[in-house]
Amino acid sequence: MNTDEERRRVPVVMHVRCPERLPEELYRQVLEQLGELSPVVQALPPAAALVDLRGALRYHAATDAHLADVLRLRTVSRFGVDVRVGIGPTVTVATTASAQVPHPGGVLAVAPDDVVGWLALLPVEDLHGIGPRHAATLKRYGIDRVGLLAALPPATVQRMLGGRAGRTAVDRARGIDPAPSLHASSPPQRSSGTSSPATSTTELLPVRPCSVWSCSSAANCAAAGRPPAPSRSRCRSRAGRSGRRRAAWSSRPRTRTTCACSSTS
């Protein structure tokens, strides 16, 4: 396997942070710009998104940093919105990198070979997935850098943070993402009617019909934005027929039959 094929197999994830309290319409427009760069976009409302760039790099014949610069140029020139972009081989690295970009915007790309060394110098609270409570617990034991966390055995961190949380924290500190792949979903498309980005992002997931146990009428389903559940009249009619058959059978007079040999004796 040559170097080019190895690079194609390495995931390239872009994490985009929009300004806080961004209007919903502008957030939708930023997602549409991401959809022009890559067909795999995962919206993270209210002001973030993940993009898989593996296919986009081959299609545009460009580097990941160049596509990030193009994105910033388009959002600033068209909408007046600057974004912070982080690029890395995993979701954790890309999300952590975008948080390190200063306001109002910029690009930080971390190469796969530099992930461990770059993460090792960061404060432990800057690692994506480490909340304030876990960071305070680690600092009480003198673990204030991601590199120190990565050097610990997983069993030790599990005793500090708990089983699953400790194992996940060590993996992320070592550049191993528990969820390395994105959901293969397209960015939301502009509909003919008026809708908000909050409802458009739900189009990325399949909508399940409303359950008859939580909604008793089609009007409630329509008000909640869910398709109505199938009618249960047929099931109820079948249950009624079977109940009537059991009642008719139980009401029949029961006759006791005796054996012919016993009656002659």
Side-chain angles (χ1 to χ4, degrees):
M1 183 181 296
N2 54 28
T3 306
D4 295 337
E5 293 179 354
E6 292 179 354
R7 291 178 179 178
R8 292 177 181 178
R9 292 180 177 270
V10 176
V12 182
V13 181
M14 173 192 292
H15 186 270
V16 181
R17 293 179 184 266
C18 301
E20 297 181 357
R21 299 180 180 179
L22 185 69
E24 295 180 350
E25 183 61 26
L26 288 179
Y27 178 63
R28 172 187 286 273
Q29 293 174 352
V30 173
L31 293 180
E32 292 176 353
Q33 295 300 315
L34 294 176
E36 295 181 2
L37 296 180
S38 173
V40 184
V41 178
Q42 181 179 350
L44 302 176
L50 286 170
V51 186
D52 191 344
L53 294 179
R54 281 179 295 183
L57 297 179
R58 296 192 299 267
Y59 179 81
H60 297 286
T63 62
D64 48 13
H66 177 71
L67 292 181
D69 291 335
V70 170
L71 173 65
R72 290 188 60 210
L73 179 62
R74 291 180 178 179
T75 56
V76 171
S77 60
R78 298 178 181 179
F79 316 124
V81 177
D82 202 351
V83 295
R84 296 184 294 162
V85 182
I87 302 174
T90 64
V91 174
T92 298
V93 175
T95 307
T96 305
S98 65
Q100 301 301 312
V101 177
H103 292 277
V107 179
L108 177 56
V110 182
D113 298 336
D114 302 335
V115 168
V116 178
W118 178 75
L119 289 175
L121 302 178
L122 295 178
V124 68
E125 63 269 15
D126 290 350
L127 181 64
H128 174 65
I130 300 295
R133 183 170 60 88
H134 287 167
T137 302
L138 293 173
K139 287 184 177 180
R140 285 200 299 266
Y141 292 94
I143 307 171
D144 58 348
R145 296 288 172 177
V146 178
L148 297 177
L149 177 61
L152 292 176
T156 302
V157 184
Q158 287 178 357
R159 287 193 292 269
M160 299 178 186
L161 305 180
R164 183 176 181 180
R167 182 173 59 255
T168 303
V170 174
D171 289 342
R172 287 176 171 172
R174 296 175 179 177
I176 303 173
D177 204 317
S181 59
L182 304 183
H183 298 290
S185 56
S186 302
Q189 302 294 332
R190 183 184 298 273
S191 59
S192 56
T194 58
S195 59
S196 62
T199 57
S200 64
T201 52
T202 58
E203 297 174 1
L204 301 177
L205 301 176
V207 180
R208 295 184 177 181
C210 177
S211 174
V212 294
W213 305 111
S214 61
C215 179
S216 58
S217 64
N220 293 337
C221 297
R226 297 186 296 262
S231 175
R232 298 189 63 189
S233 59
R234 183 178 180 183
C235 300
R236 291 174 179 173
S237 61
R238 288 183 176 179
R241 289 197 300 267
S242 60
R244 289 192 297 269
R245 289 174 182 174
R246 287 194 298 268
W249 179 262
S250 60
S251 61
R252 290 182 179 180
R254 298 182 180 180
T255 58
R256 183 177 180 180
T257 59
T258 58
C259 181
C261 60
S262 60
S263 59
T264 55
S265 59

